[in-house]
Amino acid sequence: MKKSKHLLHPGFRMTSKKLPPLSPNPYKTYHGQTDSFRPSILEEPDGFARLLLFNSCYESMPTSSKMVVFDTELVLWKAFNGFIYQNTRHVLLANSSKEGAISGILSVTDFIRVMLRFNRERESREAASGVQEEVKTIQTDSIGKMSIRDYRELVQTEGNFMDLVSINADQSLLEAARLLCHHRIHRLPVLDPDNSSPLFILTHKRILKFMWCFGQQFCPSEWRKKTAKELGVGTWVGIRVVFYDTRLSDCLDILLNKGVSGLPVVDSKTLEVQDIYTRFDAVGIALLQANCIDVTVKEALAYKRNIDLQTERVVSVKETDTFWHIVSVLVESSVHRVCVVNEQNAIEGVISLSDVINFMAVKPGKALKPTKFTQHTQSAAGDLSDQAITARLQQSEKEREEEAAHKRNPTS
């Protein structure tokens, strides 16, 4: 197992050569401050899409990031234990036979697939023998003893294998958003275009925060007046929920096969949202001798509160809240989804990060052509001292202020 930590430039960086300056200080836009954009630019429906188009993935690189890499020869149950110890939802996979090239991602989705497979095999053996088997852990089962490489080959024979989807750091953020949306994935490895080494993982959450920090001026006025339901954002029909007495195996089956990453746990009578069970919450439930997935959701929720995992809390909004308010809640709460409730706190809808980014940027920017940036500064930025980076940011801010002043008064 290898860890790599990239200490890079602070916060987001902004490319302003092909786009008018967002504000004298782009960091001030986080709290809704506006600048001197022309009204015609502000009202363009594809404003957020263009913002992402004219900024490469480099611009969203975090100040620091932890990346966990497992060799594909690692035994599967040890890899899943690593999820707990590293408190992560995914790890990158490196193929030692190909000089450590990144070949895929192992995520909590794989963990759930293994648990369900083990549970089905156990139930089949019990039905055949008529004797209930003693609860086993993943490592005692044959699939747990597989290497990651053998497991991926098994998944491929079953038709569930997915090739690695990645993006080069010099490609646009809009292309990254398109890949996340098209492949229905939640994380996208960003690779160095020179040597294909991984730099960081790009997610819906980080793209939305980028748009929030630097693009609030693009928000159409109707987004501040209409609700998400009026704009057609989110899921409002056929919402998938579970109850406290739902079997965990059934809950995990929905998470794996129905295209959702989190299930609201609601009261069976009032439909009031009580909790939420996500894919990540399943990590660890079957790794101890005393636990398996043949429990209820209530028991599983009690178990997850007793282990040291950063689980997602329930965040709800009112059905009368405007779409832009919901966007602000998603950003400031740093969650993957919000539950929309009525006056009785009964669930009415679910809005995820992917729903929001698809509506704000992917659909409006459908006709925009992909952009690839020929120059990047990652290597240089990585070698700079903190003082040098600060000086560059101050110089960049000064240039933006001068350009903004010139646009306000071209004759001066």
Side-chain angles (χ1 to χ4, degrees):
M1 181 180 70
K2 299 187 297 182
K3 279 188 186 178
S4 61
K5 193 170 185 178
H6 302 276
L7 298 176
L8 303 169
H9 47 275
F12 295 109
R13 294 184 292 110
M14 186 68 192
T15 300
S16 57
K17 293 182 179 180
K18 298 182 180 180
L19 195 71
L22 294 177
S23 70
N25 184 351
Y27 296 95
K28 292 182 180 179
T29 63
Y30 185 84
H31 296 290
Q33 298 184 15
T34 58
D35 63 355
S36 58
F37 267 105
R38 297 189 304 272
S40 59
I41 295 179
L42 288 175
E43 294 300 324
E44 288 183 355
D46 61 352
F48 282 104
R50 291 181 179 276
L51 173 67
L52 297 184
L53 178 67
F54 288 110
N55 284 276
S56 69
C57 294
Y58 275 119
E59 315 305 331
S60 66
M61 187 178 292
T63 304
S64 63
S65 62
K66 180 182 74 172
M67 303 184 71
V68 183
V69 182
F70 287 167
D71 192 286
T72 53
E73 297 302 320
L74 185 67
V75 176
L76 196 59
W77 72 265
K78 290 184 178 180
F80 289 145
N81 270 290
F83 276 80
I84 293 181
Y85 300 141
Q86 297 298 329
N87 198 13
T88 183
R89 290 166 171 79
H90 67 276
V91 295
L92 296 178
L93 300 177
N95 193 331
S96 56
S97 63
K98 297 182 179 180
E99 299 181 349
I102 300 301
S103 59
I105 292 180
L106 191 72
S107 70
V108 291
T109 302
D110 297 292
F111 185 83
I112 294 174
R113 181 177 288 112
V114 169
M115 286 198 297
L116 290 175
R117 182 187 182 94
F118 170 68
N119 192 61
R120 288 194 301 267
E121 291 178 354
R122 181 174 61 86
E123 290 179 345
S124 298
R125 290 194 297 265
E126 290 176 359
S129 63
V131 179
Q132 185 173 3
E133 293 186 5
E134 182 182 354
V135 176
K136 298 180 180 179
T137 54
I138 284 181
Q139 59 263 41
T140 63
D141 189 67
S142 58
I143 191 172
K145 296 177 182 178
M146 284 184 176
S147 67
I148 297 176
R149 176 179 55 81
D150 292 337
Y151 162 73
R152 285 162 59 83
E153 291 176 355
L154 175 63
V155 173
Q156 187 171 16
T157 59
E158 295 176 343
N160 296 318
F161 184 79
M162 184 176 181
D163 292 325
L164 176 67
V165 180
S166 62
I167 190 169
N168 284 341
D170 57 0
Q171 292 180 263
S172 72
L173 283 169
L174 180 59
E175 184 62 22
R178 287 169 173 168
L179 288 173
L180 288 168
C181 177
H182 176 73
H183 294 283
R184 299 180 65 85
I185 54 179
H186 296 91
R187 53 196 61 85
L188 184 67
V190 180
L191 308 180
D192 190 312
D194 295 332
N195 54 28
S196 297
S197 62
L199 298 176
F200 66 103
I201 301 295
L202 192 58
T203 61
H204 294 98
K205 186 183 295 186
R206 191 148 194 87
I207 292 177
L208 182 61
K209 188 173 183 180
F210 184 91
M211 292 192 293
W212 173 263
C213 287
F214 302 125
Q216 292 198 31
Q217 300 85 354
F218 293 114
C219 176
S221 56
E222 66 171 354
W223 293 7
R224 301 180 186 271
K225 299 176 182 179
K226 293 185 177 182
T227 65
K229 188 173 185 179
E230 290 173 329
L231 294 172
V233 184
T235 302
W236 304 91
V237 178
I239 305 169
R240 299 189 181 279
V241 299
V242 293
F243 310 109
Y244 276 131
D245 59 354
T246 302
R247 287 185 61 196
L248 181 59
S249 57
D250 295 333
C251 176
L252 296 180
D253 184 70
I254 296 174
L255 289 173
L256 180 64
N257 299 312
K258 302 302 180 182
V260 294
S261 58
L263 286 169
V265 182
V266 302
D267 184 272
S268 58
K269 295 181 180 179
T270 64
L271 296 183
E272 183 178 351
V273 180
Q274 304 287 334
D275 210 322
I276 192 163
Y277 200 88
T278 69
R279 293 182 184 180
F280 185 58
D281 294 329
V283 175
I285 192 65
L287 292 179
L288 297 178
Q289 182 73 21
N291 294 280
C292 65
I293 62 175
D294 194 18
V295 296
T296 65
V297 169
K298 185 175 182 179
E299 293 171 316
L301 289 170
Y303 176 78
K304 80 169 186 176
R305 297 188 187 101
N306 294 329
I307 57 178
D308 187 20
L309 292 176
Q310 296 179 356
T311 54
E312 185 172 335
R313 67 190 188 279
V314 180
V315 175
S316 61
V317 295
K318 297 294 184 182
E319 59 180 343
T320 55
D321 289 337
T322 65
F323 170 72
W324 195 243
H325 172 76
I326 293 174
V327 173
S328 68
V329 170
L330 281 167
V331 173
E332 294 173 1
S333 301
S334 191
V335 294
H336 293 85
R337 68 196 62 78
V338 293
C339 297
V340 185
V341 299
N342 56 26
E343 295 181 356
Q344 290 74 37
N345 288 326
I347 189 166
E348 292 287 340
V350 176
I351 301 174
S352 67
L353 290 172
S354 56
D355 295 329
V356 171
I357 292 176
N358 191 38
F359 173 78
M360 291 176 64
V362 176
K363 286 184 177 179
K366 187 176 182 180
L368 298 178
K369 296 182 179 180
T371 296
K372 186 173 182 179
F373 300 86
T374 57
Q375 296 181 350
H376 58 80
T377 59
Q378 187 271 335
S379 298
D383 296 334
L384 293 176
S385 64
D386 292 342
Q387 293 80 3
I389 292 174
T390 302
R392 284 197 175 190
L393 290 173
Q394 291 174 345
Q395 178 64 26
S396 178
E397 180 179 344
K398 182 179 179 181
E399 292 174 355
R400 284 192 292 269
E401 289 176 348
E402 293 175 351
E403 189 172 353
H406 176 72
K407 286 185 176 294
R408 287 194 294 268
N409 189 8
T411 59
S412 61

